[in-house]
Amino acid sequence: MATSVDVLVQPFREALNVLGFEVYPLKIGWYNAVVSQAHQLQYSADTLALVVLSTPSMFEKVFLPFLQKNCCQGVRDPIDQCVAQTINSCVSECLHDQNVEISFDYEMLPSRKPKFLAQSAAHVAGAAYYYRPSDVQDPPWGNKKMFGVCIHPRLGGWFAIRALLVLKGVEMGEALQQVPPPNCVSSREARIELLERFNLRWKDWTYRDIIPVEERYSPQQKEYFITSPDQRGELLRQWGFFS
Ligand code: B12
């Protein structure tokens, strides 16, 4: 019998929404239909998966309280630790009767390929349109290697794609229909501008504002992410954490 995605996923989605995350369902088949063989996920096409995004408010709602509670134990990136802890605990609370395989954006396979391609997953789930260099006809950058970027219809580039959860053995059939992501950067000129900002000037963050947005990172969050990862521990100490 077909499973209703809402019944299964709603409590998990709501738990994460209040913490500044968004959750979008997809079928593994949609993802495997766009990525190359080497990146395919080994589940049946109808298997239900969820892609999780963090929105700007995650920083204040979860990360700062996390720092207050945990004296981040050394080695791992504090944001990654915090996101993993948050998603894992929502899975234990709301999806405890499911067999869930979680992959985080920063996790690599032994082959050094990412465990999942976050941008392709966000696109096929309808969360954020993935603008790829090959979408631009006759590009001004010629053969130069350019990376693609996802744009969210309400957050522009002010978000991150954090995890893919596969609900092993949950097959969706017709109960889950694919919705295309909003194509909010539609003209060739705007796509060129977006890809140039993302590739050539990503440090000025203007690619994130390629469309009008509802929310941005706070000044404190900007300061954190502008700081290079090896200096962030020192910044946190200046802010009074780990004293
Ligand atoms: C490795 C990596 C990098 C590398 C290489 C980038 C790259 N794209 O290869 C480096 C270090 C350069 C990098 C830099 C940055 N990165 Co980075 N990076 C990644 C990471 C971990 C893997 C990307 C990867 O290896 N892709 C492999 C290639 C082959 O994939 P691909 O080009 O998308 O090709 C596939 C698609 O084209 C697909 N495909 C084919 N046809 C079609 C058709 C359709 C319709 C679709 C949907 C797909 C599709 O098939 C191909 C594979 O077979 C991802 C997180 C993740 N797990 O995905 C973050 C990620 C891409 N990075 C991100 C960001 C923000 C950055 C930086 C701005 C730094 C930062 N973190 O702030 C810079 C900006 C880039 C720059 N100017 O240098 C974000 C992008 C968010 C967004 N809005 O799109 C991601 C998603 C991380 C996240 N948590 O959100 N990054």
Side-chain angles (χ1 to χ4, degrees):
M1 203 183 74
T3 319
S4 152
V5 71
D6 287 339
V7 171
L8 245 170
V9 169
Q10 203 54 22
F12 177 69
R13 174 182 264 160
E14 279 167 12
L16 277 175
N17 280 351
V18 295
L19 301 174
F21 293 84
E22 291 183 352
V23 176
Y24 296 84
L26 67 142
K27 285 186 200 173
I28 292 296
W30 304 344
Y31 176 89
N32 283 347
V34 295
V35 302
S36 63
Q37 192 81 38
H39 290 100
Q40 305 228 329
L41 300 171
Q42 301 306 310
Y43 303 96
S44 67
D46 274 345
T47 304
L48 176 63
L50 304 172
V51 63
V52 180
L53 314 184
S54 58
T55 77
S57 67
M58 177 276 290
F59 192 84
E60 281 73 24
K61 286 178 173 160
V62 188
F63 186 57
L64 296 180
F66 167 88
L67 291 172
Q68 237 135 29
K69 271 190 259 125
N70 304 261
C71 319
C72 271
Q73 302 94 358
V75 273
R76 272 182 60 200
D77 180 88
I79 283 274
D80 290 348
Q81 272 187 54
C82 167
V83 168
Q85 199 184 88
T86 307
I87 294 176
N88 284 326
S89 85
C90 288
V91 167
S92 319
E93 241 173 72
C94 307
L95 295 170
H96 46 83
D97 45 0
Q98 300 296 332
N99 187 357
V100 186
E101 179 86 32
I102 310 178
S103 303
F104 294 100
D105 59 325
Y106 52 83
E107 288 184 316
M108 300 291 152
L109 295 166
S111 63
R112 305 184 66 88
K113 287 193 170 53
K115 275 194 161 179
F116 76 104
L117 297 182
Q119 296 161 307
S120 293
H123 181 101
V124 299
Y129 200 109
Y130 184 24
Y131 294 98
R132 295 171 307 122
S134 56
D135 290 338
V136 176
Q137 267 192 354
D138 199 12
W141 51 78
N143 291 330
K144 185 178 160 31
K145 170 87 185 139
M146 298 283 274
F147 300 124
V149 56
C150 282
I151 294 296
H152 183 291
R154 285 178 290 100
L155 302 172
W158 299 96
F159 71 102
I161 308 157
R162 297 296 182 178
L164 184 79
L165 281 62
V166 179
L167 280 77
K168 291 200 272 186
V170 179
E171 306 249 334
M172 293 312 299
E174 293 301 303
L176 185 60
Q177 294 291 325
Q178 191 165 12
V179 215
N183 178 5
C184 38
V185 185
S186 53
S187 73
R188 176 174 177 274
E189 288 64 36
R191 288 178 183 193
I192 289 172
E193 181 63 28
L194 171 64
L195 289 168
E196 291 192 343
R197 288 185 192 179
F198 185 68
N199 283 270
L200 311 175
R201 301 187 291 279
W202 63 273
K203 284 191 177 159
D204 73 12
W205 295 27
T206 55
Y207 81 85
R208 299 181 192 260
D209 282 321
I210 194 75
I211 57 165
V213 297
E214 287 177 6
E215 260 180 274
R216 287 192 180 83
Y217 294 174
S218 62
Q220 190 177 17
Q221 178 165 193
K222 281 189 187 161
E223 189 182 1
Y224 183 79
F225 284 117
I226 277 169
T227 305
S228 74
D230 59 323
Q231 301 293 311
R232 287 177 188 168
E234 185 47 42
L235 179 68
L236 293 178
R237 261 181 289 279
Q238 282 171 27
W239 286 353
F241 297 108
F242 331 134
S243 45

